Amino acid sequence: MTAGQHGDEETCDVVVIGAGMSGLMAATTLADKVDVVVVEAEDRPGGRVETVREGEYWINVGTQFTEGTGPLIDALDRHGITMGSLADTGVGLVLNGALVDASDVLALMFRTRMTLMDRFGMALVGARILCAVPFLESDGRLAKRVRAGLDRRPASDLLRGVRSELARAVVRSWSGQWMGCEPEETAATQLVTSIGIALTDPAKVPNFALPVGGNQTLTDVLAADLGDRLRLGATVRSVETSGDGVVVTYDGGGRRVRIRAKRAIVSVPTDVASRILPELPETYRGALADIRYGRYVIVGFFTEEEGPQPWDGLLGVSTPQLSFQAVFNHAAALRKEGPRMPGGALACFAGGASADALFALSDEEITDRFARDLLTVYPQLEGRLGRGIVRRHHRVVPFWAPRGRASLPTLRSPLGPIHLAGDYQLDMPSLADAATSGENAAKAVLSSLGR
């Protein structure tokens, strides 16, 4: 509840703008210590976390996986949310109609009917990625130099000297699949990291899992904990400093509301932050502009098969020659124990330029294209696909253009009483990074208030 209220002007200790993962984590960290209000423009909390459920199965139609360490995993544990492990699953790749294990180099080279030029191109790209991967997490001097070089170069440099159209299609597909952009748009670091994860054993990724019931299970719990402190359908118009505090103006419920608070946490996409912060210094405005966002079209299908299927042990399959670039198998997290339940849940992803080309189509046209191509990968699904659940995401995963990451430290510093939070603030945008950023912002606010 707010500390005071008079007409359409209210007061509280802290206002959190945005109820995605970082905003929810910030607000729930603050809730027991200060008077907090959360304002969210959409009619539901969660941001890019969204799950559709049907019976025992679910499909994440926003962000896909949970991994990493820190506040996100702590919150899942604290709320007793069961995790479906993906540690024993694999990643497949479909090339020229053949499905192979993406980590099996020999199968990739010799079971997919590639030409000699294709094999050379794939080997060159793979070698460049695998040579860089060991330096991505080390703190040594050489590792820092390698990462700095990758930060300066576009990801399209992976294709330097590669004449194989197939190899080029694979890299573009991976860029679209993992980041929602084209290789020319992003620095090499992020794409190399993403592909490196795909080519290694998922068991090596800390806490690589799917919350049972989907990622929205956690955001639903966090939102419920906030109760009436969370205001949906509240579009923020401005966040401005006033004395040693802030004034947040928003439209909601047919009225304009002003909240005077001691502090604000702005946890929204960077272009929205630039719009609602009129006093933003140019250094911050430029740093926010350095962050871009990937785009996706997702179609989820609940399926009606019975008995073991060839995709049961795969968490995902890359499909660079189809209308979508990847299929994620959400049911993989439920296949570890007991007899296999009938049915399943699959999500087909198209990102980057592939998504751009699909945005103009109707949901029915997109579903038909994806369903036809999915059946070429798994003909066993003929007659067993449910209705397509379509989501169009024009702004999802943050990424940096070459040299863009250099301005990131600016965004980690508060603007007086205004703190920024979001999955763009740390090194590898993810759900875990979003949660960590939100908690970090909340702790900084509490410290500034002497709490």
Side-chain angles (χ1 to χ4, degrees), residues 123-349:
L124 183 57
V125 169
R128 287 171 175 165
I129 293 169
L130 294 175
C131 285
V133 165
F135 299 101
L136 295 177
E137 295 184 1
S138 170
D139 291 327
R141 183 179 300 178
L142 179 58
K144 291 178 180 178
R145 289 180 58 189
V146 170
R147 288 199 298 273
L150 292 172
D151 278 339
R152 291 192 297 268
R153 292 158 43 200
S156 54
D157 270 12
L158 291 173
L159 295 169
R160 187 177 67 256
V162 175
R163 298 173 59 189
S164 163
E165 288 302 319
L166 178 63
R168 301 180 76 84
V170 168
V171 172
R172 292 186 179 282
S173 174
W174 276 335
S175 180
Q177 168 185 336
W178 292 107
M179 298 166 57
C181 68
E182 297 300 298
E184 294 83 3
E185 298 177 74
T186 181
T189 316
Q190 205 167 337
L191 182 58
V192 167
T193 302
S194 299
I195 299 176
I197 291 173
L199 293 178
T200 59
D201 183 355
K204 297 177 182 177
V205 182
N207 297 306
F208 191 46
L210 286 170
V212 172
N215 288 336
Q216 192 177 320
T217 303
L218 178 58
T219 55
D220 285 347
V221 170
L222 297 177
D225 285 348
L226 291 169
D228 60 7
R229 290 171 289 196
L230 171 60
R231 302 178 185 180
L232 301 176
T235 303
V236 172
R237 298 303 178 189
S238 65
V239 181
E240 300 176 85
T241 57
S242 177
D244 59 355
V246 298
V247 175
V248 176
T249 304
Y250 75 85
D251 292 336
R255 63 192 183 115
R256 177 154 291 187
V257 181
R258 286 161 55 91
I259 304 179
R260 294 187 178 274
K262 298 174 183 176
R263 299 289 185 271
I265 296 176
V266 177
S267 176
V268 295
T270 54
D271 58 316
V272 178
S274 292
R275 188 169 68 247
I276 66 176
L277 291 167
E279 304 166 333
L280 201 62
E282 284 305 311
T283 52
Y284 283 80
R285 198 171 296 281
L288 290 171
D290 282 338
I291 297 167
R292 322 284 177 82
Y293 285 87
R295 54 274 183 204
Y296 289 100
V297 171
I298 303 171
V299 181
F301 296 98
F302 290 106
T303 60
E304 300 173 357
E305 76 280 3
E306 294 190 12
Q309 300 295 329
W311 57 87
D312 285 349
L314 296 175
L315 67 94
V317 177
S318 292
T319 55
Q321 295 166 308
L322 303 182
S323 55
F324 51 85
Q325 295 152 337
V327 185
F328 292 123
N329 175 21
H330 296 80
L334 299 176
R335 305 299 188 204
K336 303 299 181 186
E337 298 178 1
R340 186 198 193 277
M341 299 182 297
L346 302 172
C348 301
F349 273 62

Side-chain angles (χ1 to χ4, degrees), residues 1 7 9 20 63 76 122 126 128 182 212 227 283 290 318 325 361 373 388 396 402 426 442 448:
M1 298 292 291
E9 185 163 303
T63 186
L76 289 162
M122 290 294 293
R128 287 171 175 165
E182 297 300 298
V212 172
T283 52
D290 282 338
S318 292
Q325 295 152 337
L361 302 182
D373 280 356
V396 190
L426 301 179
S448 73

Side-chain angles (χ1 to χ4, degrees), residues 81-151:
I81 296 173
T82 303
M83 301 299 290
S85 174
L86 296 170
D88 296 325
T89 59
V91 176
L93 175 64
V94 174
L95 287 180
N96 298 327
L99 172 60
V100 299
D101 184 338
S103 64
D104 187 339
V105 176
L106 291 178
L108 177 62
M109 290 297 179
F110 298 106
R111 287 183 48 203
T112 53
R113 301 198 306 274
M114 284 193 286
T115 66
L116 185 60
M117 182 180 292
D118 291 337
R119 290 173 182 165
F120 176 78
M122 290 294 293
L124 183 57
V125 169
R128 287 171 175 165
I129 293 169
L130 294 175
C131 285
V133 165
F135 299 101
L136 295 177
E137 295 184 1
S138 170
D139 291 327
R141 183 179 300 178
L142 179 58
K144 291 178 180 178
R145 289 180 58 189
V146 170
R147 288 199 298 273
L150 292 172
D151 278 339

